[in-house]
Amino acid sequence: PDALDTPATPRAGAGGPAADGSRPRRKYTISKPRQQWTPIEHRLFLEGLLLHQRDWRAIASHVGTKTSVQIRSHAQKYASRVAASGAGGEVLDGEVVVLAPPRRKTREEKGRARREGARRRGKARREEREEREEREGGMVEAGSVES
């Protein structure tokens, strides 16, 4: 028999049962029909990029018919398309529209992420130590000496 004739085994997420016995994922359904960006919406998007750089909410209000999530997605596709073409970007009213690089995290944001990571690692170490103590039957109290 040909390999293409054999049925594929169901995978988790493909509607079949999950390997670990948990419930399968809900089948993906399209709730709204896909909408193309009109040339007018794309032009407004480019204007918004020139005016507001990476402020997706401001660009969304400038376009008026798309959400900030849709704007972000369109910007990602636009950036990859520009990179693939090798061009610097589209020209709008004599200006080349280029997607600005993402802003760097502030010191405060970096510190918060570092503290949260340390907190998670500390919790994992505590849990590990408690499990080890349970297995070993408890620790010898500090300061006591066995004779």
Side-chain angles (χ1 to χ4, degrees):
D2 193 9
L4 297 174
D5 293 337
T6 58
T9 56
R11 297 179 310 201
D20 62 357
S22 64
R23 288 187 357 214
R25 258 191 206 163
R26 184 178 294 162
K27 190 174 179 181
Y28 176 73
T29 57
I30 299 172
S31 57
K32 296 179 185 175
R34 186 182 165 125
Q35 294 180 333
Q36 293 283 326
W37 279 65
T38 65
I40 294 169
E41 287 173 330
H42 184 68
R43 181 177 173 81
L44 289 170
F45 164 77
L46 294 176
E47 288 174 4
L49 272 181
L50 285 174
L51 294 171
H52 308 290
Q53 281 100 31
R54 297 178 75 88
D55 186 355
W56 309 127
R57 287 185 187 145
I59 297 171
S61 66
H62 185 79
V63 172
T65 57
K66 302 289 182 184
T67 66
S68 59
V69 174
Q70 290 170 317
I71 297 290
R72 234 181 13 239
S73 175
H74 190 66
Q76 188 176 21
K77 289 178 184 176
Y78 173 74
S80 64
R81 224 178 287 130
V82 167
S85 71
E90 290 185 49
V91 178
L92 180 70
D93 299 331
E95 283 190 70
V96 177
V97 181
V98 180
L99 188 62
R103 68 176 180 81
R104 294 183 59 156
K105 287 186 177 178
T106 64
R107 180 176 282 186
E108 179 186 339
E109 290 169 331
K110 286 181 182 177
R112 186 180 310 123
R114 194 177 309 119
R115 285 190 302 275
E116 287 173 1
R119 197 174 299 127
R120 279 193 300 271
R121 286 189 300 277
K123 182 179 178 184
R125 287 185 189 129
R126 276 192 303 280
E127 290 171 352
E128 220 174 87
R129 184 174 57 242
E130 290 168 359
E131 288 175 12
R132 191 172 49 246
E133 288 172 4
E134 282 181 24
R135 280 195 312 267
E136 295 172 357
M139 281 183 42
V140 178
E141 289 184 27
S144 67
V145 180
E146 293 184 27
S147 34

